[in-house]
Protein backbone atom coordinates (compact mmCIF):
# COMPACT_ATOMS: atom_id res chain seq x y z
CA UNK A 1 0.00 0.00 0.00
CA UNK A 2 2.83 2.31 0.92
CA UNK A 3 4.42 2.05 -2.51
CA UNK A 4 1.13 2.89 -4.17
CA UNK A 5 0.89 6.15 -2.19
CA UNK A 6 4.47 7.01 -3.06
CA UNK A 7 3.79 6.17 -6.66
CA UNK A 8 0.86 8.52 -6.79
CA UNK A 9 3.00 11.28 -5.31
CA UNK A 10 5.73 10.71 -7.83
CA UNK A 11 3.21 10.91 -10.59
CA UNK A 12 1.63 14.09 -9.32
CA UNK A 13 5.06 15.61 -8.98
CA UNK A 14 5.81 14.63 -12.55
CA UNK A 15 2.84 16.39 -14.05
CA UNK A 16 4.07 19.92 -13.50
CA UNK A 17 7.63 19.28 -14.72
CA UNK A 18 9.09 21.24 -17.57
CA UNK A 19 10.14 19.61 -20.81
CA UNK A 20 13.85 19.54 -20.00
CA UNK A 21 13.19 17.52 -16.90
CA UNK A 22 11.77 14.78 -19.05
CA UNK A 23 14.01 11.75 -19.20
CA UNK A 24 12.38 10.43 -22.33
CA UNK A 25 10.48 12.37 -24.93
CA UNK A 26 9.30 10.99 -28.23
CA UNK A 27 7.07 12.69 -30.74
CA UNK A 28 5.55 11.05 -33.77
CA UNK A 29 7.97 8.14 -33.61
CA UNK A 30 7.42 5.89 -36.64
CA UNK A 31 9.16 2.64 -37.50
CA UNK A 32 8.41 0.18 -40.27
CA UNK A 33 10.05 -2.98 -41.53
CA UNK A 34 9.20 -3.00 -45.22
CA UNK A 35 5.43 -2.99 -45.38
CA UNK A 36 5.07 -3.88 -41.74
CA UNK A 37 4.30 -0.54 -40.08
CA UNK A 38 5.05 -1.37 -36.48
CA UNK A 39 5.05 2.03 -34.80
CA UNK A 40 2.85 4.75 -36.26
CA UNK A 41 3.43 7.90 -34.27
CA UNK A 42 4.36 7.22 -30.67
CA UNK A 43 4.23 10.15 -28.27
CA UNK A 44 5.85 9.25 -24.99
CA UNK A 45 6.93 11.41 -22.09
CA UNK A 46 8.61 10.08 -19.00
CA UNK A 47 9.55 12.36 -16.13
CA UNK A 48 12.42 11.79 -13.73
CA UNK A 49 11.58 9.21 -11.07
CA UNK A 50 8.55 7.83 -12.82
CA UNK A 51 7.80 4.16 -13.39
CA UNK A 52 6.02 3.86 -16.69
CA UNK A 53 4.65 0.58 -17.93
CA UNK A 54 3.83 -0.10 -21.57
CA UNK A 55 1.29 -2.86 -22.07
CA UNK A 56 0.62 -4.48 -25.39
CA UNK A 57 -0.04 -7.76 -27.07
CA UNK A 58 2.77 -9.93 -28.31
CA UNK A 59 4.04 -8.54 -31.60
CA UNK A 60 2.61 -5.08 -31.05
CA UNK A 61 6.05 -3.48 -31.27
CA UNK A 62 6.96 -3.02 -27.62
CA UNK A 63 10.49 -4.29 -28.04
CA UNK A 64 10.87 -2.24 -31.20
CA UNK A 65 9.85 0.86 -29.27
CA UNK A 66 12.54 0.58 -26.60
CA UNK A 67 15.15 -0.45 -29.13
CA UNK A 68 14.42 2.81 -30.95
CA UNK A 69 15.06 4.71 -27.72
CA UNK A 70 18.68 3.50 -27.57
CA UNK A 71 19.18 3.43 -31.35
CA UNK A 72 19.52 -0.32 -31.61
CA UNK A 73 17.00 0.35 -34.36
CA UNK A 74 16.99 3.53 -36.39
CA UNK A 75 13.70 5.38 -36.62
CA UNK A 76 11.93 6.37 -39.84
CA UNK A 77 10.34 9.58 -38.61
CA UNK A 78 9.74 11.58 -35.46
CA UNK A 79 11.72 12.79 -32.51
CA UNK A 80 13.52 10.77 -29.84
CA UNK A 81 15.07 12.64 -26.97
CA UNK A 82 16.57 10.73 -24.06
CA UNK A 83 18.26 12.51 -21.14
CA UNK A 84 18.19 15.68 -23.19
CA UNK A 85 20.04 14.18 -26.17
CA UNK A 86 18.60 13.98 -29.63
CA UNK A 87 19.32 10.28 -30.10
CA UNK A 88 19.11 9.95 -33.92
CA UNK A 89 21.49 12.90 -34.39
CA UNK A 90 24.25 11.78 -32.03
CA UNK A 91 27.72 10.80 -33.21
CA UNK A 92 29.04 7.40 -32.25
CA UNK A 93 31.14 8.54 -29.29
CA UNK A 94 28.40 10.71 -27.84
CA UNK A 95 25.87 7.95 -28.32
CA UNK A 96 28.09 5.59 -26.33
CA UNK A 97 28.32 8.13 -23.53
CA UNK A 98 24.54 8.51 -23.40
CA UNK A 99 24.07 4.75 -23.55
CA UNK A 100 26.18 4.35 -20.43
CA UNK A 101 23.50 6.29 -18.57
CA UNK A 102 20.74 4.08 -19.91
CA UNK A 103 20.22 0.58 -18.57
CA UNK A 104 18.63 -1.98 -20.85
CA UNK A 105 17.37 -5.32 -19.65
CA UNK A 106 16.79 -7.60 -22.62
CA UNK A 107 13.82 -9.90 -22.93
CA UNK A 108 16.26 -12.83 -23.06
CA UNK A 109 18.60 -11.26 -20.45
CA UNK A 110 21.33 -11.56 -23.13
CA UNK A 111 24.07 -12.72 -20.77
CA UNK A 112 27.43 -13.21 -22.48
CA UNK A 113 27.50 -16.98 -22.49
CA UNK A 114 31.24 -17.38 -22.90
CA UNK A 115 31.86 -15.41 -19.70
CA UNK A 116 31.22 -16.16 -16.04
CA UNK A 117 28.73 -14.12 -14.05
CA UNK A 118 31.59 -12.06 -12.65
CA UNK A 119 32.96 -11.29 -16.12
CA UNK A 120 29.47 -10.47 -17.32
CA UNK A 121 29.13 -7.83 -14.62
CA UNK A 122 32.65 -6.52 -15.14
CA UNK A 123 32.13 -6.11 -18.85
CA UNK A 124 30.27 -2.77 -18.76
CA UNK A 125 32.94 -1.46 -16.36
CA UNK A 126 35.85 -2.19 -18.66
CA UNK A 127 35.91 1.29 -20.16
CA UNK A 128 35.83 3.01 -16.78
CA UNK A 129 39.50 3.79 -16.47
CA UNK A 130 39.29 5.79 -13.27
CA UNK A 131 38.30 2.73 -11.27
CA UNK A 132 40.76 0.37 -9.66
CA UNK A 133 40.41 -3.39 -9.81
CA UNK A 134 39.37 -3.58 -6.18
CA UNK A 135 36.67 -1.00 -6.64
CA UNK A 136 35.27 -2.89 -9.59
CA UNK A 137 35.35 -6.12 -7.64
CA UNK A 138 33.54 -4.47 -4.74
CA UNK A 139 30.93 -3.06 -7.03
CA UNK A 140 30.30 -6.43 -8.66
CA UNK A 141 29.73 -8.08 -5.30
CA UNK A 142 27.55 -5.27 -4.03
CA UNK A 143 25.52 -5.48 -7.18
CA UNK A 144 25.04 -9.22 -6.91
CA UNK A 145 23.95 -8.75 -3.30
CA UNK A 146 21.22 -6.38 -4.29
CA UNK A 147 19.74 -8.99 -6.62
CA UNK A 148 20.34 -11.68 -3.99
CA UNK A 149 22.73 -13.88 -5.99
CA UNK A 150 26.22 -13.44 -4.51
CA UNK A 151 26.77 -17.18 -4.61
CA UNK A 152 26.41 -17.29 -8.40
CA UNK A 153 29.51 -15.19 -9.04
CA UNK A 154 31.61 -18.01 -10.47
CA UNK A 155 28.91 -19.72 -12.52
CA UNK A 156 28.50 -19.69 -16.28
CA UNK A 157 25.18 -18.41 -17.71
CA UNK A 158 24.35 -21.92 -18.92
CA UNK A 159 24.29 -23.03 -15.29
CA UNK A 160 21.63 -20.51 -14.29
CA UNK A 161 17.86 -20.86 -14.26
CA UNK A 162 15.64 -18.45 -16.18
CA UNK A 163 14.85 -16.40 -13.10
CA UNK A 164 18.50 -16.24 -12.09
CA UNK A 165 19.43 -15.09 -15.58
CA UNK A 166 16.95 -12.25 -15.35
CA UNK A 167 18.40 -11.21 -12.01
CA UNK A 168 21.97 -11.35 -13.26
CA UNK A 169 20.86 -9.41 -16.31
CA UNK A 170 19.36 -6.82 -14.01
CA UNK A 171 22.53 -6.71 -11.93
CA UNK A 172 24.56 -6.12 -15.09
CA UNK A 173 22.17 -3.41 -16.17
CA UNK A 174 22.46 -1.70 -12.79
CA UNK A 175 26.20 -1.75 -12.56
CA UNK A 176 26.76 1.54 -14.37
CA UNK A 177 24.16 3.20 -12.13
CA UNK A 178 21.98 4.30 -15.03
CA UNK A 179 19.57 7.20 -14.81
CA UNK A 180 16.90 5.26 -16.60
CA UNK A 181 16.38 1.54 -16.95
CA UNK A 182 14.42 0.07 -19.83
CA UNK A 183 13.00 -3.34 -19.01
CA UNK A 184 11.91 -5.58 -21.85
CA UNK A 185 9.44 -8.06 -20.38
CA UNK A 186 11.28 -8.65 -17.12
CA UNK A 187 8.87 -11.34 -15.93
CA UNK A 188 7.99 -13.29 -19.06
CA UNK A 189 8.57 -17.02 -18.84
CA UNK A 190 8.79 -17.06 -15.05
CA UNK A 191 6.46 -18.61 -12.53
CA UNK A 192 4.09 -16.23 -10.71
CA UNK A 193 6.13 -16.22 -7.51
CA UNK A 194 9.41 -15.47 -9.22
CA UNK A 195 7.66 -12.87 -11.36
CA UNK A 196 6.48 -11.12 -8.26
CA UNK A 197 9.98 -11.22 -6.81
CA UNK A 198 11.40 -9.68 -9.96
CA UNK A 199 8.73 -6.98 -9.93
CA UNK A 200 9.58 -6.14 -6.30
CA UNK A 201 13.23 -6.15 -7.25
CA UNK A 202 12.52 -3.57 -9.93
CA UNK A 203 10.92 -1.32 -7.33
CA UNK A 204 13.76 -1.77 -4.87
CA UNK A 205 16.37 -1.11 -7.54
CA UNK A 206 14.52 2.00 -8.49
CA UNK A 207 14.48 3.26 -4.94
CA UNK A 208 18.11 2.34 -4.37
CA UNK A 209 19.46 4.02 -7.49
CA UNK A 210 16.77 6.69 -7.78
CA UNK A 211 16.25 5.75 -11.38
CA UNK A 212 13.43 6.21 -13.80
CA UNK A 213 12.01 3.05 -15.34
CA UNK A 214 10.22 2.13 -18.51
CA UNK A 215 8.82 -1.36 -18.22
CA UNK A 216 7.53 -3.25 -21.22
CA UNK A 217 5.28 -6.13 -20.34
CA UNK A 218 2.11 -8.05 -20.88
CA UNK A 219 2.17 -9.37 -17.35
CA UNK A 220 -0.58 -7.54 -15.54
CA UNK A 221 0.69 -8.47 -12.08
CA UNK A 222 4.03 -6.92 -12.87
CA UNK A 223 2.30 -3.78 -14.12
CA UNK A 224 0.24 -3.63 -10.94
CA UNK A 225 3.29 -3.78 -8.71
CA UNK A 226 5.59 -1.48 -10.65
CA UNK A 227 3.54 1.11 -12.50
CA UNK A 228 2.88 4.75 -11.67
CA UNK A 229 1.37 5.15 -15.06
CA UNK A 230 0.38 2.67 -17.75
CA UNK A 231 0.26 3.15 -21.51
CA UNK A 232 -1.43 0.65 -23.76
CA UNK A 233 0.05 0.02 -27.19
CA UNK A 234 -2.18 -1.18 -30.00
CA UNK A 235 -1.71 -1.04 -33.76
CA UNK A 236 1.35 1.16 -33.46
CA UNK A 237 -0.08 3.89 -31.25
CA UNK A 238 -0.94 4.35 -27.60
CA UNK A 239 -4.68 3.86 -27.22
CA UNK A 240 -5.02 4.38 -23.49
CA UNK A 241 -3.14 5.97 -20.63
CA UNK A 242 -3.71 6.12 -16.90
CA UNK A 243 -3.01 4.54 -13.55
CA UNK A 244 -3.68 0.89 -12.97
CA UNK A 245 -6.98 1.67 -11.25
CA UNK A 246 -8.14 3.97 -13.99
CA UNK A 247 -7.41 1.53 -16.78
CA UNK A 248 -8.95 -1.35 -14.88
CA UNK A 249 -12.27 0.47 -15.20
CA UNK A 250 -11.70 1.63 -18.75
CA UNK A 251 -14.69 1.98 -21.06
CA UNK A 252 -12.76 0.31 -23.84
CA UNK A 253 -13.41 -3.42 -23.81
CA UNK A 254 -10.09 -4.21 -25.48
CA UNK A 255 -8.13 -2.30 -22.86
CA UNK A 256 -10.14 -3.84 -20.05
CA UNK A 257 -9.45 -7.31 -21.41
CA UNK A 258 -5.84 -6.96 -20.26
CA UNK A 259 -6.96 -6.66 -16.70
CA UNK A 260 -9.23 -9.67 -16.57
CA UNK B 1 20.50 -2.81 -46.27
CA UNK B 2 16.71 -2.74 -46.61
CA UNK B 3 16.70 0.32 -48.79
CA UNK B 4 19.51 -0.71 -51.11
CA UNK B 5 17.98 -4.13 -51.71
CA UNK B 6 14.65 -2.64 -52.66
CA UNK B 7 16.10 0.05 -54.91
CA UNK B 8 17.95 -2.19 -57.33
CA UNK B 9 15.19 -4.23 -58.92
CA UNK B 10 16.36 -4.56 -62.50
CA UNK B 11 19.04 -7.15 -61.70
CA UNK B 12 18.34 -10.83 -61.10
CA UNK B 13 18.19 -11.57 -57.39
CA UNK B 14 21.36 -13.67 -57.29
CA UNK B 15 23.51 -11.03 -58.97
CA UNK B 16 22.01 -8.33 -56.81
CA UNK B 17 22.75 -10.38 -53.70
CA UNK B 18 26.31 -10.85 -54.87
CA UNK B 19 26.87 -7.11 -55.21
CA UNK B 20 25.15 -6.40 -51.92
CA UNK B 21 27.42 -8.93 -50.27
CA UNK B 22 30.53 -7.36 -51.79
CA UNK B 23 29.28 -3.96 -50.69
CA UNK B 24 28.60 -5.27 -47.18
CA UNK B 25 32.03 -6.85 -46.85
CA UNK B 26 33.76 -3.71 -48.14
CA UNK B 27 31.97 -1.52 -45.62
CA UNK B 28 32.74 -3.99 -42.88
CA UNK B 29 36.42 -3.95 -43.85
CA UNK B 30 36.32 -0.16 -43.86
CA UNK B 31 34.92 -0.18 -40.35
CA UNK B 32 37.69 -2.56 -39.32
CA UNK B 33 40.38 -0.15 -40.45
CA UNK B 34 38.60 2.74 -38.79
CA UNK B 35 38.41 0.89 -35.49
CA UNK B 36 41.68 -1.01 -35.38
CA UNK B 37 43.89 1.97 -34.55
CA UNK B 38 41.58 3.40 -31.91
CA UNK B 39 42.42 3.08 -28.27
CA UNK B 40 42.09 1.17 -26.03
CA UNK B 41 43.71 -1.87 -27.65
CA UNK B 42 42.39 -5.22 -26.51
CA UNK B 43 45.78 -6.91 -26.13
CA UNK B 44 44.69 -9.68 -23.83
CA UNK B 45 41.67 -10.52 -25.95
CA UNK B 46 43.83 -10.63 -29.11
CA UNK B 47 46.21 -12.98 -27.33
CA UNK B 48 43.35 -15.18 -26.20
CA UNK B 49 41.83 -15.33 -29.67
CA UNK B 50 45.23 -16.02 -31.25
CA UNK B 51 45.71 -18.90 -28.88
CA UNK B 52 42.30 -20.27 -29.83
CA UNK B 53 42.98 -19.94 -33.57
CA UNK B 54 46.40 -21.55 -33.30
CA UNK B 55 45.38 -24.25 -30.87
CA UNK B 56 42.23 -25.21 -32.75
CA UNK B 57 44.00 -25.79 -36.04
CA UNK B 58 47.40 -27.07 -34.95
CA UNK B 59 46.56 -30.78 -34.93
CA UNK B 60 44.83 -30.73 -38.27
CA UNK B 61 47.55 -28.60 -39.85
CA UNK B 62 50.24 -30.97 -38.60
CA UNK B 63 48.57 -34.06 -39.99
CA UNK B 64 47.69 -32.56 -43.37
CA UNK B 65 51.09 -30.87 -43.68
CA UNK B 66 52.86 -34.14 -43.07
CA UNK B 67 50.70 -36.15 -45.47
CA UNK B 68 50.98 -33.44 -48.09
CA UNK B 69 54.79 -33.59 -48.05
CA UNK B 70 54.88 -37.35 -47.98
CA UNK B 71 52.39 -37.90 -50.80
CA UNK B 72 53.87 -35.21 -53.00
CA UNK B 73 57.28 -36.82 -52.71
CA UNK B 74 56.10 -40.36 -53.34
CA UNK B 75 54.07 -39.30 -56.35
CA UNK B 76 56.74 -37.12 -57.93
CA UNK B 77 59.49 -39.66 -57.66
CA UNK B 78 58.57 -41.88 -60.68
CA UNK B 79 58.27 -38.88 -62.99
CA UNK B 80 61.63 -37.49 -61.96
CA UNK B 81 63.19 -40.94 -62.05
CA UNK B 82 62.18 -41.29 -65.68
CA UNK B 83 64.39 -38.29 -66.46
CA UNK B 84 67.10 -39.45 -64.12
CA UNK B 85 66.57 -36.38 -62.03
CA UNK B 86 65.82 -37.91 -58.65
CA UNK B 87 68.27 -35.61 -56.94
CA UNK B 88 65.91 -32.75 -57.76
CA UNK B 89 63.18 -34.32 -55.72
CA UNK B 90 63.76 -32.43 -52.45
CA UNK B 91 64.10 -29.11 -54.23
CA UNK B 92 61.02 -29.59 -56.33
CA UNK B 93 58.87 -30.67 -53.44
CA UNK B 94 60.16 -27.82 -51.27
CA UNK B 95 59.25 -25.26 -53.92
CA UNK B 96 55.76 -26.69 -54.38
CA UNK B 97 55.11 -26.80 -50.67
CA UNK B 98 56.46 -23.40 -49.79
CA UNK B 99 55.15 -21.50 -52.76
CA UNK B 100 51.74 -22.95 -53.14
CA UNK B 101 50.54 -26.06 -51.41
CA UNK B 102 51.50 -25.20 -47.85
CA UNK B 103 49.87 -21.76 -47.76
CA UNK B 104 46.74 -22.76 -49.66
CA UNK B 105 46.05 -26.00 -47.81
CA UNK B 106 46.65 -24.38 -44.43
CA UNK B 107 44.43 -21.45 -45.33
CA UNK B 108 41.67 -23.77 -46.48
CA UNK B 109 41.86 -25.76 -43.28
CA UNK B 110 41.66 -22.57 -41.26
CA UNK B 111 38.81 -21.25 -43.39
CA UNK B 112 36.94 -24.40 -42.43
CA UNK B 113 37.93 -24.81 -38.84
CA UNK B 114 38.44 -21.25 -37.66
CA UNK B 115 36.03 -19.55 -40.05
CA UNK B 116 33.09 -21.72 -39.10
CA UNK B 117 33.90 -21.31 -35.42
CA UNK B 118 34.02 -17.53 -35.56
CA UNK B 119 30.98 -17.34 -37.84
CA UNK B 120 28.85 -19.49 -35.57
CA UNK B 121 30.04 -17.87 -32.37
CA UNK B 122 29.37 -14.30 -33.45
CA UNK B 123 26.10 -15.24 -35.13
CA UNK B 124 24.78 -16.89 -32.00
CA UNK B 125 25.85 -13.86 -29.97
CA UNK B 126 24.00 -11.71 -32.44
CA UNK B 127 20.73 -13.66 -32.43
CA UNK B 128 20.68 -13.95 -28.65
CA UNK B 129 21.10 -10.15 -28.46
CA UNK B 130 24.48 -10.36 -26.73
CA UNK B 131 26.03 -8.01 -29.27
CA UNK B 132 23.15 -5.58 -28.81
CA UNK B 133 23.68 -5.82 -25.07
CA UNK B 134 27.34 -4.85 -25.47
CA UNK B 135 26.30 -1.97 -27.66
CA UNK B 136 23.76 -0.55 -25.23
CA UNK B 137 26.28 -0.84 -22.42
CA UNK B 138 28.24 1.82 -24.30
CA UNK B 139 31.13 -0.52 -25.12
CA UNK B 140 32.29 -1.11 -28.65
CA UNK B 141 31.49 -4.73 -29.57
CA UNK B 142 33.06 -4.29 -32.99
CA UNK B 143 36.41 -3.61 -31.41
CA UNK B 144 36.05 -6.27 -28.77
CA UNK B 145 34.71 -9.04 -31.00
CA UNK B 146 35.65 -8.33 -34.61
CA UNK B 147 38.96 -6.49 -34.45
CA UNK B 148 40.44 -8.98 -32.00
CA UNK B 149 39.42 -11.99 -34.06
CA UNK B 150 40.61 -10.56 -37.35
CA UNK B 151 43.96 -9.63 -35.80
CA UNK B 152 44.20 -13.15 -34.42
CA UNK B 153 43.70 -14.81 -37.81
CA UNK B 154 45.93 -12.22 -39.46
CA UNK B 155 48.79 -13.09 -37.11
CA UNK B 156 48.25 -16.79 -36.62
CA UNK B 157 47.62 -18.07 -40.12
CA UNK B 158 51.10 -17.04 -41.38
CA UNK B 159 52.60 -18.80 -38.37
CA UNK B 160 50.53 -21.90 -39.04
CA UNK B 161 51.68 -21.84 -42.67
CA UNK B 162 55.34 -21.73 -41.63
CA UNK B 163 54.65 -24.61 -39.31
CA UNK B 164 52.81 -26.59 -42.00
CA UNK B 165 55.65 -25.98 -44.47
CA UNK B 166 58.15 -27.32 -41.97
CA UNK B 167 56.07 -30.40 -41.19
CA UNK B 168 55.53 -30.87 -44.93
CA UNK B 169 59.27 -30.88 -45.54
CA UNK B 170 59.74 -33.43 -42.79
CA UNK B 171 57.06 -35.56 -44.43
CA UNK B 172 58.88 -35.20 -47.70
CA UNK B 173 62.17 -36.19 -46.07
CA UNK B 174 60.54 -39.38 -44.88
CA UNK B 175 59.05 -39.92 -48.35
CA UNK B 176 62.49 -39.60 -49.92
CA UNK B 177 63.88 -42.10 -47.47
CA UNK B 178 61.29 -44.75 -48.15
CA UNK B 179 63.07 -45.67 -51.36
CA UNK B 180 66.42 -44.06 -50.98
CA UNK B 181 68.83 -43.08 -48.30
CA UNK B 182 69.37 -39.36 -47.91
CA UNK B 183 70.67 -37.87 -44.68
CA UNK B 184 68.64 -35.16 -43.01
CA UNK B 185 71.31 -32.54 -43.59
CA UNK B 186 71.77 -33.47 -47.24
CA UNK B 187 68.04 -33.48 -47.77
CA UNK B 188 67.54 -30.01 -46.35
CA UNK B 189 70.53 -28.58 -48.18
CA UNK B 190 69.12 -29.97 -51.42
CA UNK B 191 65.69 -28.62 -50.60
CA UNK B 192 66.86 -25.15 -49.67
CA UNK B 193 69.43 -24.86 -52.43
CA UNK B 194 66.70 -24.38 -55.00
CA UNK B 195 64.70 -21.91 -52.96
CA UNK B 196 64.88 -18.28 -53.93
CA UNK B 197 63.78 -15.10 -52.28
CA UNK B 198 61.26 -14.98 -55.15
CA UNK B 199 59.77 -18.25 -53.94
CA UNK B 200 59.59 -17.48 -50.28
CA UNK B 201 58.74 -13.82 -49.99
CA UNK B 202 55.50 -13.52 -52.04
CA UNK B 203 54.30 -16.81 -50.58
CA UNK B 204 54.82 -15.46 -47.10
CA UNK B 205 53.14 -12.12 -47.83
CA UNK B 206 50.04 -13.72 -49.26
CA UNK B 207 49.44 -15.70 -46.09
CA UNK B 208 48.69 -12.45 -44.29
CA UNK B 209 46.02 -11.73 -46.86
CA UNK B 210 44.63 -15.23 -46.39
CA UNK B 211 44.48 -14.67 -42.65
CA UNK B 212 42.83 -11.31 -42.99
CA UNK B 213 40.26 -12.52 -45.50
CA UNK B 214 39.31 -15.58 -43.46
CA UNK B 215 38.91 -13.49 -40.30
CA UNK B 216 37.01 -10.61 -41.80
CA UNK B 217 34.59 -12.79 -43.76
CA UNK B 218 33.81 -15.06 -40.82
CA UNK B 219 33.26 -12.02 -38.60
CA UNK B 220 31.12 -10.32 -41.23
CA UNK B 221 28.87 -13.33 -41.67
CA UNK B 222 28.50 -13.77 -37.92
CA UNK B 223 28.18 -10.13 -36.93
CA UNK B 224 25.56 -9.30 -39.53
CA UNK B 225 23.50 -12.46 -39.04
CA UNK B 226 19.84 -11.57 -38.60
CA UNK B 227 17.80 -14.66 -39.24
CA UNK B 228 17.42 -16.25 -35.83
CA UNK B 229 18.81 -19.65 -34.96
CA UNK B 230 18.65 -20.80 -38.54
CA UNK B 231 20.96 -17.91 -39.39
CA UNK B 232 23.69 -19.30 -37.12
CA UNK B 233 24.15 -22.39 -39.27
CA UNK B 234 23.91 -20.30 -42.39
CA UNK B 235 26.53 -17.86 -41.12
CA UNK B 236 28.97 -20.64 -40.26
CA UNK B 237 28.36 -22.27 -43.59
CA UNK B 238 28.83 -19.19 -45.74
CA UNK B 239 31.85 -18.10 -43.68
CA UNK B 240 33.53 -21.31 -44.82
CA UNK B 241 32.34 -21.18 -48.43
CA UNK B 242 33.15 -17.52 -49.05
CA UNK B 243 36.34 -17.73 -47.00
CA UNK B 244 37.66 -20.65 -49.05
CA UNK B 245 36.70 -18.97 -52.28
CA UNK B 246 38.55 -15.85 -51.23
CA UNK B 247 41.65 -17.91 -50.49
CA UNK B 248 41.72 -19.08 -54.12
CA UNK B 249 41.00 -15.61 -55.49
CA UNK B 250 43.78 -14.07 -53.41
CA UNK B 251 46.10 -16.87 -54.50
CA UNK B 252 45.34 -16.14 -58.13
CA UNK B 253 45.97 -12.43 -57.68
CA UNK B 254 49.17 -13.13 -55.74
CA UNK B 255 50.54 -15.33 -58.53
CA UNK B 256 49.84 -12.63 -61.10
CA UNK B 257 51.39 -9.90 -59.00
CA UNK B 258 54.43 -11.97 -58.11
CA UNK B 259 55.17 -12.85 -61.72
CA UNK B 260 54.63 -9.21 -62.67
CA UNK B 261 57.06 -7.77 -60.14
CA UNK B 262 59.69 -10.48 -59.80
N1 LIG C 1 14.59 -6.62 -36.90
C1 LIG C 1 13.35 -6.76 -37.38
N2 LIG C 1 13.15 -6.91 -38.72
C2 LIG C 1 11.91 -7.04 -39.23
N3 LIG C 1 10.79 -7.03 -38.50
C3 LIG C 1 10.90 -6.87 -37.17
C4 LIG C 1 12.19 -6.74 -36.54
N4 LIG C 1 12.00 -6.61 -35.22
C5 LIG C 1 10.67 -6.67 -35.02
N5 LIG C 1 10.00 -6.83 -36.18
C6 LIG C 1 8.55 -6.89 -36.34
O1 LIG C 1 8.00 -5.90 -35.51
C7 LIG C 1 6.82 -6.37 -34.91
C8 LIG C 1 6.88 -6.09 -33.42
O2 LIG C 1 7.90 -6.86 -32.84
P1 LIG C 1 8.30 -6.71 -31.32
O3 LIG C 1 9.46 -7.59 -31.11
O4 LIG C 1 8.46 -5.29 -30.98
O5 LIG C 1 7.02 -7.29 -30.57
P2 LIG C 1 6.74 -7.26 -29.02
O6 LIG C 1 5.63 -6.33 -28.79
O7 LIG C 1 7.99 -7.02 -28.28
O8 LIG C 1 6.24 -8.75 -28.80
P3 LIG C 1 6.62 -9.76 -27.62
O9 LIG C 1 5.73 -9.44 -26.49
O10 LIG C 1 6.31 -11.10 -28.20
O11 LIG C 1 8.06 -9.59 -27.32
C9 LIG C 1 6.67 -7.82 -35.26
O12 LIG C 1 5.65 -7.91 -36.23
C10 LIG C 1 7.98 -8.20 -35.87
O13 LIG C 1 7.76 -9.05 -36.97
MG1 LIG D 1 9.36 -8.11 -27.20
Amino acid sequence: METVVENMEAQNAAVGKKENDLIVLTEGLCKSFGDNHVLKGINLQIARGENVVVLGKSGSGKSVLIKCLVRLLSIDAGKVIVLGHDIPALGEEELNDVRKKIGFLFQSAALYDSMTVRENLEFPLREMKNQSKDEKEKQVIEDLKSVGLEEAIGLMPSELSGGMRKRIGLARTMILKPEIILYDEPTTGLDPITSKEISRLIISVQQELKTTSLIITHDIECAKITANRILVLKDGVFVAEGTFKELEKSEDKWVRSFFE
Amino acid sequence: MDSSSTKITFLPASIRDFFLEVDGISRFTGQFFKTVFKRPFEFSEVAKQSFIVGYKSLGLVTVTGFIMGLVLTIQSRPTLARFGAESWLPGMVAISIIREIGPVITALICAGKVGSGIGAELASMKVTEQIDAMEVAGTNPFRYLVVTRVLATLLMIPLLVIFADTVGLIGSYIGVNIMGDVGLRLYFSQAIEHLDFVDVFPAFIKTFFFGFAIGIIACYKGYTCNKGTEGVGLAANSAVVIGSLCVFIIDLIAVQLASFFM
Side-chain angles (χ1 to χ4, degrees), chain A residues 67 70 72 92-93 96 99-100 102 104 106-108 110-115 123-124 126-127 129 172 176, chain B residues 2 31 38 40 42 44-45 48 121 124-125 128-140 143-144:
Chain A
K67 283 182 184 169
V70 290
L72 279 178
E92 207 137 306
E93 302 280 320
N96 274 345
R99 278 171 167 176
K100 289 194 180 108
I102 307 175
F104 196 115
F106 283 84
Q107 198 163 348
S108 56
L111 299 182
Y112 309 133
D113 50 22
S114 61
M115 304 181 197
F123 194 85
R126 63 206 316 278
E127 291 191 14
K129 267 161 238 84
R172 190 180 68 188
L176 289 177
Chain B
D2 303 338
Q31 199 181 347
K38 273 195 199 145
E42 307 275 354
S44 62
E45 189 61 20
K48 183 177 152 200
E121 185 188 11
S124 68
M125 288 187 77
T128 54
E129 299 181 314
Q130 293 175 48
I131 292 181
D132 287 346
M134 288 184 179
E135 228 166 87
V136 291
T139 55
N140 187 340
R143 182 171 61 216
Y144 182 76

Side-chain angles (χ1 to χ4, degrees), chain A residues 22 37 52 79 95 98 106 123 126 134 145 149 164 172 188 201 209 236:
Chain A
L22 289 173
H37 303 289
V52 173
K79 211 157 96 170
L95 179 65
V98 178
F106 283 84
F123 194 85
R126 63 206 316 278
D134 289 344
K145 266 192 195 139
L149 278 177
M164 288 163 92
R172 190 180 68 188
T188 322
L201 195 57
L209 299 182

Side-chain angles (χ1 to χ4, degrees), chain A residues 22 55 122 172 179 192 238:
Chain A
L22 289 173
L55 281 178
E122 279 171 354
R172 190 180 68 188
E179 293 182 36
F238 289 134

Side-chain angles (χ1 to χ4, degrees), chain B residues 108-254:
Chain B
L108 288 179
I109 289 173
C110 292
K113 190 104 179 120
V114 178
S116 61
I118 293 177
E121 185 188 11
L122 293 192
S124 68
M125 288 187 77
K126 177 78 187 183
V127 301
T128 54
E129 299 181 314
Q130 293 175 48
I131 292 181
D132 287 346
M134 288 184 179
E135 228 166 87
V136 291
T139 55
N140 187 340
F142 193 91
R143 182 171 61 216
Y144 182 76
L145 298 172
V146 175
V147 171
T148 53
R149 280 167 177 75
V150 175
L151 288 179
T153 55
L154 178 69
L155 297 174
M156 291 313 287
I157 287 178
L159 290 182
L160 284 168
V161 168
I162 293 175
F163 179 75
D165 287 352
T166 314
V167 177
L169 289 181
I170 293 171
S172 160
Y173 165 73
I174 291 170
V176 168
N177 273 295
I178 290 176
M179 305 231 345
D181 185 19
V182 183
L184 190 63
R185 184 163 315 157
L186 177 63
Y187 170 81
F188 273 97
S189 73
Q190 277 182 347
I192 288 165
E193 188 183 13
H194 295 276
L195 280 180
D196 257 333
F197 177 73
V198 187
D199 296 318
V200 180
F201 184 70
F204 183 60
I205 294 299
K206 78 180 170 191
T207 58
F208 286 96
F209 286 90
F210 289 163
F212 181 78
I214 289 167
I216 203 97
I217 285 164
C219 287
Y220 170 76
K221 294 313 286 184
Y223 201 79
T224 56
C225 166
N226 53 9
K227 289 199 198 79
T229 342
E230 176 204 346
V232 177
L234 226 57
N237 186 297
S238 46
V240 176
V241 173
I242 303 178
S244 312
L245 197 63
C246 276
V247 167
F248 286 115
I249 295 172
I250 291 169
D251 197 42
L252 188 69
I253 295 171

